[in-house]
Amino acid sequence: MKKFTAILVMTAMLCSLTACGHDTADEVTDESSVTSVAEVSEETTEEVTETETEEVGEEDTDGEEISETETDPEIENEPSEKISADGTCAEAIEMFLDCTNNHDVEGMMKLTFPDKYIDAINFVMELSGASMEEIMNDMAEPSSETVRLSEIISEETFDNDDIEMFHEYYGSIQLISDYINEIGKENIDLEKFDEWSDTVDTESFPEPYFNINDARIVNCMLEYEDEDGDTYTDEQAFTMFYIDGEGWKTDMSMTGYVKKSKQTSMNAAASSLMKASNTTLCELDEMGAELPEKCIICSDSTKNYNVNEDFLSDVEENLKYYFSDYNEFDYIIVIDNGFCTYTTCTDPENPKYIGTYPANKLYSTDGEYVTMDGKYTFDEIYNLCLDEIQK
């Protein structure tokens, strides 16, 4: 299976993971995001093998023997054709959780994927030698925990750039759907599908059949209960987006993708700020300006350390030529021995994501930067920088 089609297989598998326990958003979505899925090899995809099913005979009311697939009655689910999450985000999440508790694969698919893509996703799964039902039966034990929505902690609305990622992602599925409709399922096998995928231009996907005007990450507190009645809570992030005529979709595969994109964007801003700062310092040095040996320049001028007004004015005047958007961020610039050695950037409207350069490092005056081993606020990073620069 080619890389971009493996997205569909792994995304579908992700749905079933939510029925298996209490993986947090970072544990599940970061490993299952579009970014990481695109790197999945054919070998990884083909590890999902068919589960053996056993045909059992049963007599109907006329005494004739009929055949059906043997299933565990505890994981048997009702048809989900009428499922629609056309209410609030909370109601859609509760509906999704009900489906996971009931091991309702059809319902999970309906509440996760755009309606017109479900057949295409199932078909690609079949080509890979797997199915959602098999994956669910393999992963979900009859005695598994049940989960309910305890509360919504926060909601983060996506901007236009984020929504564009949705359109690009589902554009890849639209391409596959178009191919299947054009050729016909009966005329496609794995070899032909792989040959076709080799010809796909992954830089230019068609638009999906729908527009997304409302999408958000909803951070929830979930309550889990095991078969003994013991309960505990854990946080989980859900990516929600609304399709007119279909309602809310709960596509958790996008959560890690969006988070990783936002973090990468902030790290890139910090990198640009460092380059612009060092270019500015070189120019000021050539102009004969007196550079402080050690200082900190911040977007919040009350946090500046060892910076006089003339030097600050010169830096800000030059920065705008090399990084014109720098003042749109909350930032920290650490200068040591005349060079910018560390920068931090965050979007003041969304301070959850903090970028640093070097990426994901904490400042140290000896150059042995420490890898971040947890979450730090902007102020915590500033205080660490200040402590280091004052040594």
Side-chain angles (χ1 to χ4, degrees):
M1 189 72 64
K2 293 299 180 283
K3 291 182 180 180
F4 91 97
T5 56
I7 292 174
L8 303 185
V9 177
M10 299 301 289
T11 300
M13 289 175 62
L14 177 65
C15 298
S16 62
L17 291 176
T18 61
C20 309
H22 55 277
D23 294 298
T24 65
D26 288 339
E27 291 170 335
V28 175
T29 56
D30 283 354
E31 294 180 1
S32 305
S33 66
V34 174
T35 303
S36 60
V37 167
E39 299 169 358
V40 175
S41 66
E42 180 175 350
E43 179 181 354
T44 303
T45 306
E46 293 178 348
E47 286 177 358
V48 184
T49 58
E50 282 194 67
T51 302
E52 295 294 330
T53 57
E54 188 176 285
E55 298 297 325
V56 296
E58 183 180 308
E59 289 190 357
D60 65 12
T61 55
D62 296 324
E64 295 180 359
E65 187 177 273
I66 60 175
S67 177
E68 65 179 13
T69 302
E70 183 178 64
T71 59
D72 191 311
E74 294 192 53
I75 60 174
E76 202 168 340
N77 49 264
E78 296 295 326
S80 307
E81 289 83 358
K82 295 183 180 180
I83 282 183
S84 175
D86 203 13
T88 66
C89 270
E91 290 170 340
I93 291 171
E94 288 173 341
M95 191 176 295
F96 182 82
L97 295 177
D98 284 343
C99 288
T100 65
N101 290 331
N102 296 325
H103 307 282
D104 181 355
V105 181
E106 291 182 14
M108 293 167 69
M109 294 283 283
K110 176 77 173 177
L111 294 171
T112 298
F113 300 108
D115 291 350
K116 294 183 180 180
Y117 295 152
I118 292 177
D119 284 346
I121 291 170
N122 278 327
F123 181 68
V124 174
M125 293 285 288
E126 291 170 5
L127 283 181
S128 72
S131 74
M132 280 299 297
E133 285 77 7
E134 292 166 353
I135 294 171
M136 177 63 75
N137 289 338
D138 283 345
M139 295 184 175
E141 299 177 0
S143 60
S144 62
E145 299 166 319
T146 58
V147 57
R148 71 173 186 86
L149 176 63
S150 177
E151 65 172 313
I152 291 180
I153 302 170
S154 63
E155 296 188 27
E156 179 184 333
T157 303
F158 290 163
D159 58 26
N160 290 335
D161 289 339
D162 296 329
I163 290 177
E164 185 58 34
M165 286 190 293
F166 279 85
H167 288 160
E168 179 180 341
Y169 170 59
Y170 283 107
S172 67
I173 304 180
Q174 179 68 53
L175 186 69
I176 294 174
S177 181
D178 291 344
Y179 171 74
I180 294 172
N181 291 335
E182 178 182 351
I183 304 300
K185 293 180 181 179
E186 68 280 1
N187 299 317
I188 303 174
D189 57 25
L190 183 59
E191 183 178 353
K192 290 180 180 178
F193 193 75
D194 282 347
E195 289 176 356
W196 168 78
S197 66
D198 279 336
T199 68
V200 170
D201 178 9
T202 57
E203 300 298 322
S204 179
F205 291 128
E207 287 292 319
Y209 69 87
F210 56 87
N211 287 318
I212 298 175
N213 297 316
D214 190 353
R216 61 190 70 176
I217 291 181
V218 182
N219 296 297
C220 301
M221 184 66 71
L222 303 183
E223 181 180 83
Y224 295 84
E225 181 176 354
D226 62 24
E227 63 244 35
D228 297 324
D230 295 327
T231 63
Y232 63 94
T233 58
D234 201 359
E235 288 189 32
Q236 175 71 62
F238 292 87
T239 300
M240 310 294 296
F241 62 99
Y242 190 86
I243 298 178
D244 286 340
E246 298 183 24
W248 288 102
K249 303 294 181 178
T250 309
D251 192 343
M252 295 172 66
S253 68
M254 290 294 294
T255 306
Y257 188 27
V258 172
K259 285 185 175 181
K260 189 172 292 186
S261 175
K262 288 179 178 291
Q263 186 60 59
T264 299
S265 177
M266 286 299 100
N267 286 342
S271 174
S272 295
L273 181 60
M274 175 176 281
K275 294 173 183 176
S277 297
N278 276 322
T279 302
T280 293
L281 292 173
C282 285
E283 288 204 357
L284 292 179
D285 185 49
E286 291 175 358
M287 293 168 57
E290 185 176 348
L291 307 182
E293 183 178 352
K294 293 184 177 183
C295 71
I296 296 177
I297 300 175
C298 294
S299 50
D300 179 357
S301 60
T302 64
K303 296 180 182 293
N304 288 344
Y305 169 73
N306 196 31
V307 179
N308 62 52
E309 290 298 324
D310 289 340
F311 176 69
L312 179 63
S313 177
D314 288 340
V315 169
E316 292 177 340
E317 182 66 25
N318 282 272
L319 270 181
K320 65 184 181 183
Y321 292 109
Y322 303 110
F323 185 27
S324 59
D325 297 332
Y326 85 95
N327 56 5
E328 295 181 6
F329 300 93
D330 287 341
Y331 61 85
I332 301 168
I333 300 172
V334 179
I335 297 174
D336 190 353
N337 197 28
F339 293 96
C340 175
T341 54
Y342 186 79
T343 51
T344 301
C345 281
T346 188
D347 182 348
E349 295 183 359
N350 189 12
K352 180 179 179 180
Y353 301 96
I354 300 175
T356 66
Y357 196 83
N360 305 316
K361 300 289 185 180
L362 296 174
Y363 177 64
S364 176
T365 52
D366 61 10
E368 298 293 331
Y369 295 165
V370 179
T371 300
M372 289 186 180
D373 56 359
K375 295 181 179 179
Y376 293 82
T377 67
F378 184 81
D379 286 341
E380 287 172 340
I381 294 176
Y382 167 78
N383 289 329
L384 287 170
C385 290
L386 184 61
D387 289 343
E388 285 292 314
I389 207 74
Q390 288 180 333
K391 286 181 178 179

